[in-house]
Amino acid sequence: MSKALLLLWKKIRTWVECLYTNIDGKFQEQFGFHMTQLTLAKLINYLYRPKDSSSLAITRILFGLAMLFDIPDERGGSIMDKRWGDPMVCHFPLIKFIIAIPMPYMALVYAALWLGALGMTLGYKYRLSASVFTLSYWYLFLIEKSYWNNHSYLFGVVALLLTTTEANCYWSLDSYLDPSLSKKTVPYWNYFILKYQFFILYFMAGMKKGTAEWLTGYSVQNLSEHWVFSPFKLFLTVPQIDYIIVHWFVFTFDLTVAIWMMWSRTRHVAMILCALFHLMNSRLFRIGMFPWVCLATMPLFYPFDWPKRTKIFAEKVMSKVKGEFFKYTKKFNINTTHHKNHAVEEIEKHVDSVHNEDKSKSSSDVDRIKEQNTNVNYPIETKIDGEKIGKKKEKSFDTKNKELDTKTNVAATTGEDTQRRKLITFMFIVLHVLSQAFLPYSHFITKGYNNWTNGLYGYSWDMMVHTWEIESVIVKVVDNESKKEFYVDPYIYSPNDRWTRHGDMVYQYAGCLKDNIIKKIKEKDSNRGNDISEDISIYIDVWCSMNGRFTQRMFDPKTDLLNTSWSPFEPIPYLMPLLDEALDWRNILQDIKDDVHTWSDYSDVTFIADFPGYYLEKFIPIEISNVTMTVLDGLVAYEPDETKFMQGQSFKLSKGNQVIMNSGTFHRIINIGTKPAFYAYTFINSSEAGNTESLAAHPKLPLGQELFKRFQNMFKFFKNIISNVFKVLLDVTSQCLLYVIECENVENDSDIIIQFCSSEIFNT
């Protein structure tokens, strides 16, 4: 037994030594030294190894171009008046004191943003342009959370990283105007931080998909019905495409594609798959320039000098084409040469002979002058204190030593400063690497942003991990003095519906709604009186479904959001738990849905889950008919709308009971049991019958339309910028003139005028 264990130990030891040798060999091949020789100085020197700068320049240009088109579209530049011009619209800043400035001054931010992107693209005043773009971008990012996406955060990080690099040392206006800035190489860390950032993009997106929701195929549903999956439909069914391609393949792809792109043996295949993946995403989702930025940065994983290699290859191809072209033209020239006039040939020969004689004479004259000059001794003349001397005085031995010491000290000081800068740069690189690896899993700190998903949807890389279906959003305002209730359109003061799924933004919306109501009260005529007092309470009830589950309420409708608390470091007190008890129902729900859809082209079903002690008030629109409510589990009470014949009636329903409801009426479903209740509405949506829009109206590849729309938005953006900047100038000028007029009758008016005007402009 001991011999067998000893033999097994030797085999394991041999295997470990072999593995270590292979890893150490790869490490030495990559870094230039063995793992046992690793030191901080060697690691810093590795990051400062010179690499060709052409690939970095291409990345700068392509990213800048993408941002030029992103600003009018996804950043809202073409609709800036609509997005920022209405003071009643609610905004959702990340930090309370960083808020949007009013229009038309917001146009100055957009102008700085676009000019910064243009400067980055051209490489003109690069540091200034990149810094202006980055600061303006992050300002827009921080003042409005409701437009956040992972790629919005990515653009800001990439802009910040590019600002720190030397991306303007090649193919830029800076290097053209100032040749001293031109460099053929840059330190390797310029590439490393960008490659690492996109490695994190892919890898973390894959890590976040390694959940039961994704791997069981419920995170993204019915996506395979899109035309981009048509090739897979030749050998797979729609459910198989959803499960195998959309979920498992994408999970594996995101997790490993960056590794395959870094390995030279698999790089070309990985690049093709990655390009197809991003092109498919550009057709599947409305995500702006994100797929195109990813396509533009993919070449970072190729050798650093790939643009020069491509240029050389293109020149070779062009030379071959020219060679073939000259072959045909040479034949034509030979045929025409025989017809040349004999007199012209004699004249050309005579001219050539005369030219050769002149050339030989001039060269002999130059040689003769050189020989004469070698025999002449010219005295060395210098000036000391205004007097000429024949020889330059030799420096003393002490003077030479002093100069040598000075040069040595300067060189040592310069070397120390260089090493210090390298160490500081290295520390910032390490900080960025660690922070980007930590932030996606930092939700245990920022608990106030955790709903049914974790954290802020901006740096977590939870891309398409969750699919939301909003059933209804009910905003109720209660006047605490008169006890009257008012219902408010939830979207009248909001830029979009993103806030309805995030507890922090729901809290902010309630505060904004209160401010707007108070403004409306103050604007009313005091003689008419107010319909509502300033002592109000706001209750918000959001019903939604996540990843094909039952539709349930997300926030407690009994909590007054104006009298509750919220902290980024504490759990949301008014968040209702996700009903995981309904997970076993998923297959049953799908079977019911498939059966209902066979009834007619317009039949549909909605599944509801509710908590004990809570109730659902629902109105059935006129266009909805044949409505039946079926209790799937639990115990509920059904209370129909009061009519002349039915007043205050309630019906107790249990599992399997059904109720037929009329269109255009209210009703209430109360969970009177001790556990969650589950029920379903089946109905016919007659409004869908009038939707006869043909599929031909939506082309599969509307590239021309998209390009036209982008240029159209660019034109609207320029128009908005010009008109709003003109308003700013007119406003400042008019205010300054008003102060000048007011100051005319004051003694020492010149000083006071300057003081008032400058202070007013500054405050504006």
Side-chain angles (χ1 to χ4, degrees), residues 85-104:
D86 188 354
M88 300 295 288
V89 171
C90 297
H91 296 290
F92 306 92
L94 176 65
I95 303 172
K96 190 174 182 179
F97 58 85
I98 301 180
I99 59 176
I101 59 177
M103 291 294 290

Side-chain angles (χ1 to χ4, degrees), residues 457-477:
Y457 191 71
Y459 62 83
S460 61
W461 310 118
D462 291 340
M463 291 183 280
M464 298 306 300
V465 175
H466 304 287
T467 301
W468 302 88
E469 293 182 10
I470 300 294
E471 177 67 21
S472 65
V473 179
I474 303 169
V475 179
K476 183 171 69 173
V477 180

Side-chain angles (χ1 to χ4, degrees), residues 257-289:
V257 67
I259 299 173
W260 304 133
M261 286 195 294
M262 288 189 291
W263 192 17
S264 59
R265 294 184 179 180
T266 57
R267 181 176 296 137
H268 297 307
V269 176
M271 287 291 179
I272 294 173
L273 291 176
C274 196
L276 291 174
F277 176 75
H278 290 304
L279 290 173
M280 289 175 66
N281 283 341
S282 70
R283 301 299 94 199
L284 287 168
F285 312 110
R286 295 181 179 179
I287 48 179
M289 298 304 297

